[in-house]
Amino acid sequence: PRNAIALKMRAERSEAAEDALFAADGVIGYPEETISAKKTISSGGGKTSSKAPRVVSWQAAALKEYAIDNRVVITICNFGMGKDWLQQWYVSAWRAGVRNLIVVAADEDMYDWGKYFGFENNVTASGRWEKKKESNSSAAVGGHAFGWRSPGYERVVTQRASILREIMDLGYDVLYSDTDIHWFESPFGEMDDKYKKCDLSVQREKSDVLGDYNCSGFFFFRNSWMAKIFVALWELYIMERLKTPGFFTDQTELNHLLTDLAANKITVKGAPKSVYDLAWSKQFTGCTLAWDQFPSGVNYFSKRGKGKGKQTADCMSSMCKGLIWKPLTYTPNKKTAQRTDLKPLIVHHNFIKSNTAKMQRAKDFGFWLPLKENTWV
């Protein structure tokens, strides 16, 4: 019955809301023969629909094949991000002992490229291809990694909750990782120890307070009934925000939801009445991942310390007034620029706007693995 609450949230949506969701959806697992052509499905009463099936046996089989201990590691990327970062992400994860990896292609070029390099079912389709040209941009959508806050970036990241909900509906724990993450060790030991009671464990940015602009680029959902309700609500928050013009990301709405729950409220319509009484949220446990074990870019490439800080949009809690971040300087010809005062399990290469600068920083600090084109382990 508890699991049914999350499923009911989908069933009770109006047809218009469902159509809006599908238009912005990122459902993995379309069979290859339906990727480039819409499939017409009978919807009863003589009506037809152009929607492809949401869950298909091919998707379930792929997840079953690559899951370990009923867990999968998911990344979502377009071709531009994939050709620059996917090999680094995949190989560093593999060498760290993380093998339950699934890549969700956000465009057709990414899907074809992954297949070309020998991936099998662990490269799947998002079910929603990008257009070949991004408006107001000279960059081909398939040609370059999207810049932060670009329209293409927004389209890719807002699919995340929908994709993860589909996977969780099939019964899996999900660790989501952005493609610009370097792995040193498997994080699952920590998830089963320090964070074993957490339904959601999410990466910090500057604050250690849940909902104070936590990072949706690295997090772990345990497949509890509370987590299923949470991710379904996250999807609803994104759907609602899509109605308003202006840039946003799923991270914005993740923190919006976390902040609302901390205030004992839900500010989006469309969920079953039983969700609004918030009895489920009293049993939901959200945790932030330790700065030094799971550092985002600001906590690895800047030195955190005590000082006269300030509260800003990305660090609003009172603790922010007593912390400062001093950017580290790369020193050429130094044997390694990697930090010796930290022992991270992963490092997130975010907190930098240009992909070119991001790649250069990764190389300067010794993260960029010297890999041949066909090296994937």
Side-chain angles (χ1 to χ4, degrees), residues 197-202 210 258 284-288:
K197 295 183 179 180
C198 307
D199 299 292
L200 166 65
S201 303
V202 61
L210 195 66
L258 287 168
F284 173 81
T285 301
C287 304
T288 60

Side-chain angles (χ1 to χ4, degrees), residues 108-353:
E108 191 169 4
D109 288 339
M110 179 63 241
Y111 183 82
D112 292 341
W113 185 81
K115 292 293 185 180
Y116 174 79
F117 277 103
F119 288 98
E120 298 300 331
N121 285 339
N122 60 336
V123 170
T124 66
S126 72
R128 175 174 173 260
W129 300 133
E130 298 291 351
K131 297 177 182 179
K132 288 295 180 183
K133 294 287 184 180
E134 181 179 0
S135 60
N136 301 320
S137 172
S138 60
V141 165
H144 302 280
F146 291 128
W148 183 67
R149 300 196 68 156
S150 70
Y153 174 89
E154 179 182 14
R155 286 195 300 273
V156 170
V157 298
T158 53
Q159 301 179 55
R160 197 168 301 168
S162 300
I163 293 170
L164 300 184
R165 175 182 53 76
E166 294 287 345
I167 296 171
M168 291 179 69
D169 281 351
L170 291 175
Y172 295 94
D173 294 343
V174 178
L175 192 157
Y176 177 80
S177 165
D178 275 354
T179 319
D180 59 349
I181 279 177
H182 186 99
W183 305 73
F184 287 105
E185 294 182 32
S186 170
F188 289 115
E190 285 296 294
M191 298 306 172
D192 291 334
D193 183 14
K194 187 176 180 179
Y195 304 99
K196 64 182 179 181
K197 295 183 179 180
C198 307
D199 299 292
L200 166 65
S201 303
V202 61
Q203 188 176 50
R204 300 173 185 173
E205 294 282 17
K206 289 186 174 181
S207 172
D208 62 354
V209 175
L210 195 66
D212 192 4
Y213 215 66
N214 308 139
C215 180
S216 65
F218 190 87
F219 57 85
F220 178 66
F221 271 122
R222 206 170 296 280
N223 200 283
S224 64
W225 66 275
M226 295 85 71
K228 286 183 177 181
I229 295 173
F230 181 91
V231 78
L233 274 172
W234 183 21
E235 186 181 39
L236 280 178
Y237 271 65
I238 292 170
M239 288 171 57
E240 184 65 25
R241 180 60 182 81
L242 283 167
K243 299 175 184 177
T244 305
F247 175 83
F248 81 104
T249 68
D250 61 25
Q251 180 164 306
T252 307
E253 295 310 308
L254 176 73
N255 285 283
H256 185 183
L257 173 56
L258 287 168
T259 302
D260 278 356
L261 291 180
N264 294 310
K265 61 182 180 179
I266 295 172
T267 56
V268 69
K269 297 179 181 179
K273 292 181 180 179
S274 56
V275 173
Y276 292 98
D277 68 15
L278 292 173
W280 67 274
S281 71
K282 303 298 188 271
Q283 299 181 62
F284 173 81
T285 301
C287 304
T288 60
L289 296 168
W291 277 308
D292 296 343
Q293 283 185 302
F294 301 92
S296 61
V298 70
N299 286 304
Y300 189 89
F301 299 104
S302 295
K303 184 80 170 180
R304 185 183 66 256
K306 294 182 179 180
K308 189 176 180 180
K310 60 182 180 179
Q311 292 170 292
T312 60
D314 61 354
C315 194
M316 300 182 68
S317 61
S318 59
M319 57 148 289
C320 304
K321 293 187 291 185
L323 289 176
I324 57 173
W325 283 261
K326 184 178 180 181
L328 297 178
T329 302
Y330 165 65
T331 303
N333 302 319
K334 190 176 180 180
K335 185 176 181 180
T336 178
Q338 291 187 18
R339 293 178 63 171
T340 57
D341 58 330
L342 302 182
K343 292 184 178 180
L345 303 182
I346 60 100
V347 171
H348 194 172
H349 291 280
N350 63 346
F351 255 78
I352 192 167
K353 292 185 178 181

